[in-house]
Amino acid sequence: MYKLFLKIATRYLLKNKLYSFINIFGLAIGIASFVLIMIYIKNERSYDKFEGSENVYRAYMDYLVGDTFEAGDAMTYNASGPSLKQEFPEVLDYVRFYYFEKVTFVLGDNIFEQPMGSLADASYFNIFKYPLLKGTKETVLKDPNTVVLSETLARKLFGSEDPFQKTVSAFWDGTEVVLTVTGVMPDPPQNIHFKNNFLISFNTENTWGIFNEHQLKPNWNMNNYYTYIKTASNTNAAQLRQKIIDSDIEEDTEERHNIEPIEDIHLYSNKPYEVEANGSITRIKFLSAIAFIILILSWLNYINLSTTKSLERAKETGIRKVSGAQRPELMMQSLVESILLNMVAIVIALVLTLVLLPLYNNYTGKNLSLEWADIESFLPIFGFILFGMVLAGLYPAIVLSSYSPAKALKGKIKTSTGGLNVRKGLIVAQFLATIILLVGTIVVTKQINFLQNQPIGTNLNQIIALHGEVVSKEVDSLVISKYNVLESELENLSFVKNVAIAQTYPGDSFDNLSSSRGVTLPNGDVDNNNVFYSYHVRPDYFNLVGIEFLAGHTFIPTAAKNYNQVVVNEAFLRLHNITSVNEILGKNLKFWGNSDWQVTGIIKDYHHFGSKRAVLPMIIRNQYDVYNLLIKLDDTAISESGFTNSINQIEKKWNEIFPRSSFNYTFLDKKFQAQYNDDKAFGIAFQVFTLLAILIASLGLFGLTSYTVVQRKKEIGVRKVNGASVAGIMKLLNQDFVKWIALAFIIAVPISLYAMNKWLEGFAYKTNISWWVFALAGIVALAIALLTVSWQSFKAAMANPVESLKEE
Amino acid sequence: MLLQLNNIFKWVNSGGQRVFLLKDINLEVEEGEFISIMGPSGSGKSTLLNVIGMLDAFDEGEYNFMDESVHTLKEKHRANLYKQYIGFVFQAYHLIDELTVYENLEMPLLYKNMKSSERKAVVADMLDRFNIVGKKDLFPTQLSGGQQQLVGVARALIGKPKLILADEPTGNLNSQQGEEIMEIFKQLNSEGVTVIQVTHSEKNAGYGSRIINLLDGRKIEG
């Protein structure tokens, strides 16, 4: 019997190619989109899971802002870890990290910069149960001047030789330390938020010489450390958190310690000084919603098409009933057909997924895969697909098997009003989803454009930042004087417009920016509450990056005590309710224990971190300390060859002055734009999946109209014979759809308004959701629907009425 | 007695008024009869045939089929009853387009849960009897109208029914094809199968042993 079912189903699908194509294609797109999004989400949710990770928490700082505490800093003090362990018996162990964006490794003539590594306590491998390829977990990080390298880094340094117990030099901020390799670990997996390519034993800080004595002591002054704690497995996390919040271990009412599960960091945390740009749970929620919408759309499509199509098969059902088939058998057959169709769709979807995954990876920079090994974790997903498949097959089966044979055989089965309402409902639901997705796409695109076109208060074009590491044992003053030579030589190059030294620059990470509290204003007001941010630059910096002055001017290098000169921004003035620049310009500020910081200028607000964040209150100091050498090139460097020529000449100068060094550079504008990459990717995902949803919905509509038109063939013929025009008939056929879309539109507006406002909450600067966003979405949906429908209705309206009437 | 209809009424409500499709029909059919139902369009011929075939319900009256009272049976039992004893032939043949001749014939047997080997034998027998062995792998659309109806009749007979109900079986055929089908019915009847046909044609009615005339849902005597 099932063989027969299968046979009929196969032949039917082959015979009705358009119907099968629309159905299978729609389902395959739906399933493939769903699986792709689920793979992505699964990866995003897999961050920081290791043996015992459920008991690992990151400590962070809350700052008092007004009356409430806000998550203020992902970093803590070097005293935080030991204090937490001492105060709370639930805390079994802690590990502190002092993170380096990059360190320059030197082995003979091999000099290269290695990004991402840390000083880490010896307890690291006790808390992070990651494997170690060489060395003993308990002892690798115990002694000062020892290092654990990632596999790749070990190979880069030592080639095929065994690195164990070999030594290598590391330079940071011009200071050298000689390290002994005590272990090799696998490269950090892609799905952890704290990726370390090397771990240097924490007590190396005592011998390295990058910290002063004051900084080395346990203190509550410098929060430059990431602290992770491990709790006993029976700990009530909420209680512990409350205890830590209440404890005030630091005895500072302006801030407090807090903890968060390590597993939540990637999706839920977006604090200043994160190790890396994290993911976003909002994005995950939106993507899940899109995934389900698309999948459900494709099922609705299927239900709609097969129910409509079943009218055509009423005769067949009648014959079967007359031949003795009973309802369960008829339903079974319908289900067999639905499952066959879905199976084909699933196979195509999987092929699509496998084909698209590398493209997708390429685009998102992720390394996602669909492997047999983790097929098990996808079982719920496939279970869900299967469940929906049966559900989607059930409705047409019920409809089909309910026809009375006498009527079915007479061809008297016309669209029953009930069935028609169901199908209208389905179309409305499809367009509801389509319009919501359209509004979403428009808002996301609008917001991204808004962010990118927001005046950022700087001009970063044609600027490169040189940040090579000078690997020499020269004293700082000598290095600085060499930098002076380099600066003037670079300025003499024809294509260089300007050169300035700066600790950091717009678009750079939080790392080179210090955050502090405690400032005394010129009028004597003391603010110990609000955080201000600070970095240091040389006088030419403002001009070079195009920051404008509201009042005053840049630092005067020739002035006495010029190293005490500072510039503040408008946000700093707003924060302290300073309404007139005269209240502060030329006057003194007190912070960091120094009471004669002189304000020489007030700069207009510029975006240091892109327009996703509000402008931070800033104090910029005048200090000669080499981090980045900013070079503004002229227009000859715009072209590829012009640029290559420029950079070659710059590198030549650099190498002449610093023969033992690494050389690298960054484009400021590109780095600044890169801050929007995640949002752009999200925007593109939204666009692509909306497009697919529209495609599915149109396929459904196309299928549906082609049958309603067939059903109304006689009516159309009669109307034409009685003088109806082509336009009149098209109007007749199209007006229904317009009504349905209008209904969908009315329901879609509040839903999408709510959802998109939720999404925009994540941005400091948001575009407004104007009325035209909805109008555009509505018009696009309507236009697509009318185009789809009109093709069919035009054909019907043009048909010769004699033909259509003859058949009756 | 094969079947008996007592005071059968069937109606539909249209615009608050009761429109009678069948009015007080009384009919007795003996095994081995060949009955023709005649009457103008809309007189209730097909409705009566559908009621006899249990494809359509009626509103009042009693219907006994082989000593079973059809009016008291549940749908499932009714279906089992007609599945076992009745074969249908339609004006529009009503073959399944997706199935070959062979498979169309085999289909009713599947619903009877007949074993595969037995099915093969029965279908082969039927193909042979109607001289359509050479057409067994063709699809209905590849056959002429006469040939399709031949398959339709063969399918009706495949379950070895006691009663054949034919609704204008020659209505879509030319006269020569029609005659062939009627000859087959005559032949079947002589083998003991009861036949009830609906027809417009006096000539076809002539093949039967008894004629029932309907007008506006009523039986006209004489």
Side-chain angles (χ1 to χ4, degrees):
Chain A
M1 179 105 51
Y2 287 94
K3 218 173 106 192
L4 178 81
F5 289 167
L6 213 57
K7 209 186 291 180
I8 295 190
T10 317
R11 286 186 192 151
Y12 186 78
L13 294 179
L14 286 176
K15 193 172 139 195
N16 295 279
K17 287 198 180 65
L18 180 68
Y19 162 81
S20 310
F21 171 77
I22 289 178
N23 248 334
I24 292 174
F25 191 57
L27 282 169
I29 292 176
I31 295 169
S33 308
F34 185 77
V35 171
L36 271 176
I37 296 178
M38 283 301 147
I39 291 174
Y40 175 78
I41 290 176
K42 191 178 152 275
N43 177 266
E44 285 289 287
R45 287 195 180 282
S46 72
Y47 269 65
D48 295 301
K49 302 253 192 319
F50 51 85
E51 189 199 329
S53 60
E54 66 278 6
N55 295 321
V56 177
Y57 298 82
R58 178 171 76 177
Y60 64 92
M61 302 309 301
D62 280 338
Y63 291 155
L64 191 62
V65 178
D67 299 331
T68 51
F69 279 102
E70 281 177 13
D73 198 330
M75 290 178 163
T76 44
Y77 301 93
N78 62 358
S80 301
S83 302
L84 286 169
K85 188 180 173 184
Q86 199 186 332
E87 296 287 324
F88 304 100
E90 299 95 323
V91 179
L92 299 181
D93 208 350
Y94 67 88
V95 56
R96 291 165 298 175
F97 295 93
Y98 186 88
Y99 178 68
F100 301 105
E101 240 184 310
K102 57 160 206 210
V103 157
T104 304
F105 283 95
V106 181
L107 192 69
D109 291 332
N110 193 359
I111 300 171
F112 66 88
E113 290 180 354
Q114 177 60 50
M116 301 193 292
S118 304
L119 295 176
D121 278 310
S123 52
Y124 176 85
F125 284 102
N126 181 33
I127 293 173
F128 292 86
K129 301 279 186 194
Y130 293 126
L132 192 60
L133 301 174
K134 276 204 174 77
T136 331
K137 285 186 177 181
E138 289 71 33
T139 56
V140 273
L141 292 170
K142 220 169 171 183
D143 298 324
N145 297 6
T146 54
V147 66
V148 177
L149 304 173
S150 76
E151 238 182 320
T152 307
L153 179 56
R155 206 174 310 119
K156 262 200 261 179
L157 282 169
F158 299 101
S160 54
E161 284 175 54
D162 185 359
F164 199 61
Q165 296 300 339
K166 291 213 165 63
T167 56
V168 59
S169 270
F171 278 83
W172 187 73
D173 197 16
T175 313
E176 184 184 13
V177 70
V178 178
L179 302 168
T180 306
V181 181
T182 52
V184 176
M185 58 187 178
D187 290 344
Q190 151 276 326
N191 58 347
I192 62 176
H193 79 283
F194 202 151
K195 300 176 181 72
N196 279 301
N197 292 311
F198 54 90
L199 293 169
I200 300 170
S201 60
F202 196 80
N203 43 21
T204 307
E205 66 172 3
N206 298 313
T207 54
W208 197 341
I210 51 179
F211 301 108
N212 62 37
E213 218 174 304
H214 182 63
Q215 292 168 323
L216 285 172
K217 275 188 252 167
N219 68 72
W220 298 112
N221 297 321
M222 272 181 50
N223 57 338
N224 292 343
Y225 299 85
Y226 294 105
T227 305
Y228 295 78
I229 57 168
K230 183 184 183 172
T231 63
S233 53
N234 56 357
T235 305
N236 180 328
Q239 266 174 22
L240 177 63
R241 181 187 158 107
Q242 198 55 49
K243 269 160 81 179
I244 290 174
I245 285 173
D246 295 339
S247 68
D248 196 17
I249 43 172
E250 182 196 348
E251 295 178 354
D252 181 343
T253 52
E254 309 288 339
E255 60 180 46
R256 67 183 192 197
H257 283 75
N258 202 338
I259 56 167
E260 62 194 329
I262 190 172
E263 293 176 357
D264 284 355
I265 292 175
H266 179 67
L267 288 180
Y268 293 91
S269 178
N270 182 26
K271 305 175 179 65
Y273 299 97
E274 290 286 352
V275 194
E276 66 169 23
N278 285 329
S280 140
I281 188 69
T282 323
R283 268 202 299 264
I284 295 295
K285 283 183 184 159
F286 269 86
L287 282 173
S288 315
I290 294 173
F292 280 99
I293 287 176
I294 290 194
L295 188 62
I296 290 168
L297 266 184
S298 61
W299 283 335
L300 292 185
N301 220 10
Y302 173 75
I303 295 174
N304 214 341
L305 278 172
S306 46
T307 313
T308 316
K309 193 73 180 162
S310 72
L311 294 174
E312 245 180 39
R313 306 182 68 179
K315 187 187 105 178
E316 185 196 322
T317 310
I319 300 169
R320 289 180 180 287
K321 280 204 162 176
V322 167
S323 304
Q326 292 185 1
R327 206 160 170 180
E329 289 158 333
L330 290 170
M331 283 181 64
M332 241 2 260
Q333 178 179 358
S334 191
L335 278 179
V336 165
E337 211 173 285
S338 133
I339 287 167
L340 177 75
L341 201 104
N342 274 281
M343 285 299 172
V344 177
I346 285 179
V347 170
I348 294 176
L350 285 182
V351 172
L352 266 179
T353 308
L354 291 177
V355 169
L356 290 178
L357 211 50
L359 279 174
Y360 189 77
N361 279 336
N362 210 357
Y363 187 77
T364 57
K366 297 258 176 193
N367 191 17
L368 306 177
S369 61
L370 183 63
E371 280 162 14
W372 289 114
D374 46 52
I375 209 81
E376 201 178 309
S377 57
F378 280 103
L379 282 183
I381 293 174
F382 284 115
F384 178 72
I385 293 174
L386 222 65
F387 170 74
M389 198 163 99
V390 171
L391 214 62
L394 216 53
Y395 179 72
I398 291 169
V399 172
L400 195 68
S401 59
S402 68
Y403 296 148
S404 130
K407 281 185 187 153
L409 286 176
K410 272 190 193 157
K412 270 192 184 162
I413 300 290
K414 283 271 145 64
T415 334
S416 70
T417 30
L420 195 65
N421 282 337
V422 169
R423 285 201 297 284
K424 277 182 189 170
L426 294 180
I427 286 283
V428 171
Q430 284 197 324
F431 272 91
L432 175 65
T434 310
I435 294 172
I436 290 174
L437 287 178
L438 273 171
V439 171
T441 312
I442 298 170
V443 172
V444 171
T445 314
K446 194 167 174 251
Q447 171 69 10
I448 290 166
N449 283 338
F450 176 80
L451 286 181
Q452 288 186 301
N453 296 331
Q454 186 81 349
I456 54 168
T458 55
N459 176 8
L460 305 178
N461 296 334
Q462 308 291 343
I463 302 178
I464 57 169
L466 287 193
H467 39 79
E469 183 83 36
V470 178
V471 183
S472 62
K473 288 168 189 166
E474 288 158 337
V475 291
D476 283 359
S477 57
L478 189 62
V479 173
I480 285 176
S481 64
K482 281 191 175 177
Y483 257 103
N484 274 327
V485 176
L486 179 65
E487 262 189 277
S488 58
E489 292 218 357
L490 287 176
E491 265 167 359
N492 286 337
L493 292 172
S494 64
F495 52 83
V496 171
K497 277 172 129 175
N498 208 343
V499 180
I501 277 171
Q503 186 183 14
T504 183
Y505 47 82
D508 196 10
S509 69
F510 265 102
D511 284 286
N512 293 323
L513 195 65
S514 58
S515 65
S516 321
R517 278 182 294 116
V519 63
T520 308
L521 299 171
N523 64 7
D525 284 357
V526 181
D527 174 22
N528 282 323
N529 193 348
N530 294 297
V531 174
F532 66 88
Y533 292 81
S534 181
Y535 64 102
H536 56 77
V537 299
R538 296 294 288 154
D540 280 346
Y541 167 78
F542 302 101
N543 180 27
L544 189 141
V545 297
I547 294 175
E548 289 177 29
F549 278 84
L550 187 72
H553 48 75
T554 186
F555 318 122
I556 315 275
T558 52
K561 283 191 167 181
N562 68 70
Y563 47 84
N564 272 352
Q565 292 178 341
V566 295
V567 158
V568 298
N569 67 350
E570 285 177 279
F572 186 85
L573 266 57
R574 272 200 306 279
L575 178 68
H576 296 107
N577 293 317
I578 298 170
T579 45
S580 156
V581 292
N582 294 326
E583 288 175 43
I584 191 167
L585 191 63
K587 306 221 163 92
N588 283 5
L589 293 174
K590 182 181 170 187
F591 60 92
W592 295 0
N594 182 348
S595 60
D596 53 359
W597 296 103
Q598 192 206 356
V599 179
T600 66
I602 292 135
I603 50 168
K604 290 186 180 170
D605 279 344
Y606 75 95
H607 285 277
H608 198 85
F609 291 112
S611 24
K612 279 171 84 173
R613 271 181 202 276
V615 175
L616 304 169
M618 294 261 187
I619 298 178
I620 303 170
R621 293 164 288 124
N622 178 22
Q623 192 178 318
Y624 208 127
D625 212 355
V626 185
Y627 285 86
N628 292 290
L629 188 59
L630 304 186
I631 304 171
K632 175 104 179 169
L633 305 174
D634 71 3
D635 291 346
T636 57
I638 291 179
S639 71
E640 183 84 31
S641 61
F643 175 75
T644 314
N645 175 45
S646 311
I647 206 75
N648 284 341
Q649 292 196 49
I650 291 170
E651 187 172 4
K652 206 173 132 219
K653 291 275 176 220
W654 170 271
N655 285 331
E656 277 170 17
I657 294 171
F658 301 115
R660 269 180 76 78
S661 66
S662 60
F663 178 83
N664 73 52
Y665 59 89
T666 308
F667 292 94
L668 261 56
D669 52 350
K670 280 186 190 153
K671 190 160 180 183
F672 195 85
Q673 286 298 322
Q675 299 179 100
Y676 305 124
N677 281 353
D678 281 352
D679 296 299
K680 278 194 213 159
F682 179 63
I684 287 180
F686 224 118
Q687 284 164 8
V688 168
F689 289 120
T690 302
L691 215 65
L692 290 177
I694 291 174
L695 184 65
I696 292 172
S698 326
L699 283 176
L701 198 56
F702 181 81
L704 188 66
T705 29
S706 59
Y707 297 119
T708 41
V709 163
V710 168
Q711 280 186 324
R712 295 177 77 169
K713 208 164 160 187
K714 186 182 162 198
E715 181 197 336
I716 295 165
V718 172
R719 282 177 191 272
K720 273 193 90 170
V721 169
N722 286 287
S725 65
V726 171
I729 297 223
M730 283 188 64
K731 193 180 150 217
L732 172 82
L733 291 171
N734 288 355
Q735 64 187 4
D736 270 357
F737 291 97
V738 176
K739 265 189 262 168
W740 301 348
I741 288 163
L743 179 62
F745 180 74
I746 290 166
I747 306 171
V749 168
I751 297 176
S752 47
L753 187 65
Y754 172 79
M756 292 329 287
N757 269 325
K758 266 257 167 305
W759 180 71
L760 284 175
E761 274 173 15
F763 295 88
Y765 297 83
K766 14 185 173 283
T767 181
N768 52 332
I769 307 179
S770 345
W771 63 270
W772 64 259
V773 170
F774 298 102
L776 183 62
I779 289 168
V780 168
L782 188 65
I784 290 167
L786 281 184
L787 268 175
T788 316
V789 174
S790 295
W791 184 16
Q792 304 277 351
S793 44
F794 182 71
K795 260 197 334 202
M798 292 301 285
N800 183 352
V802 178
E803 297 284 320
S804 45
L805 291 179
K806 201 164 65 183
E807 280 181 22
E808 276 293 309
Chain B
M1 195 181 315
L2 184 67
L3 64 93
Q4 185 183 32
L5 300 179
N6 293 331
N7 310 102
I8 295 288
F9 285 83
K10 183 174 171 62
W11 63 75
V12 289
N13 289 317
S14 169
Q17 279 208 316
R18 198 169 266 189
V19 178
F20 284 91
L21 303 178
L22 295 176
K23 225 172 187 176
D24 199 18
I25 302 284
N26 291 290
L27 178 66
E28 286 183 9
V29 179
E30 297 291 339
E31 261 184 71
E33 278 197 273
F34 190 155
I35 298 173
S36 304
I37 304 174
M38 298 192 72
S41 291
S43 59
K45 305 184 297 286
S46 296
T47 310
L48 180 57
L49 202 70
N50 285 339
V51 165
I52 295 172
M54 301 172 213
L55 299 180
D56 226 346
F58 47 91
D59 295 292
E60 226 178 272
E62 288 178 3
Y63 175 17
N64 296 312
F65 185 87
M66 296 182 66
D67 301 328
E68 294 250 26
S69 23
V70 175
H71 50 280
T72 61
L73 288 178
K74 289 215 167 94
E75 193 195 320
K76 199 176 166 187
H77 289 110
R78 268 210 303 271
N80 279 330
L81 202 60
Y82 75 68
K83 173 157 98 176
Q84 202 173 347
Y85 297 113
I86 304 177
F88 296 88
V89 178
F90 304 93
Q91 176 177 4
Y93 332 128
H94 287 337
L95 302 174
I96 294 181
D97 292 340
E98 280 75 34
L99 297 182
T100 62
V101 167
Y102 183 95
E103 287 158 351
N104 262 295
L105 294 183
E106 189 188 23
M107 181 188 60
L109 304 178
L110 285 166
Y111 294 121
K112 287 188 162 180
N113 295 322
M114 195 182 275
K115 266 187 264 156
S116 163
S117 53
E118 204 180 334
R119 284 204 305 269
K120 260 185 199 156
V122 173
V123 174
D125 208 33
M126 200 53 75
L127 287 169
D128 206 30
R129 178 166 169 193
F130 284 85
N131 272 325
I132 45 178
V133 179
K135 308 240 177 334
K136 73 178 171 62
D137 291 325
L138 297 181
F139 287 93
T141 46
Q142 294 167 303
L143 301 175
S144 73
Q147 287 165 338
Q148 287 192 46
Q149 193 58 297
L150 218 51
V151 178
V153 175
R155 186 183 59 192
L157 284 175
I158 198 121
K160 300 198 169 39
K162 282 190 177 305
L163 173 63
I164 292 273
L165 296 177
D167 194 350
E168 299 199 39
T170 62
N172 284 11
L173 304 178
N174 64 30
S175 59
Q176 195 207 329
Q177 290 168 334
E179 256 172 57
E180 280 174 28
I181 294 296
M182 290 318 295
E183 284 299 332
I184 289 171
F185 280 144
K186 198 175 162 188
Q187 171 71 26
L188 284 172
N189 185 239
S190 70
E191 289 166 15
V193 178
T194 313
V195 179
I196 304 178
Q197 67 162 341
V198 165
T199 182
H200 276 296
S201 140
E202 293 282 350
K203 190 179 161 215
N204 287 351
Y207 283 89
S209 52
R210 177 147 72 111
I211 295 176
I212 293 165
N213 282 301
L214 289 184
L215 184 66
D216 298 335
R218 271 178 196 284
K219 214 169 124 188
I220 308 170
E221 298 303 325

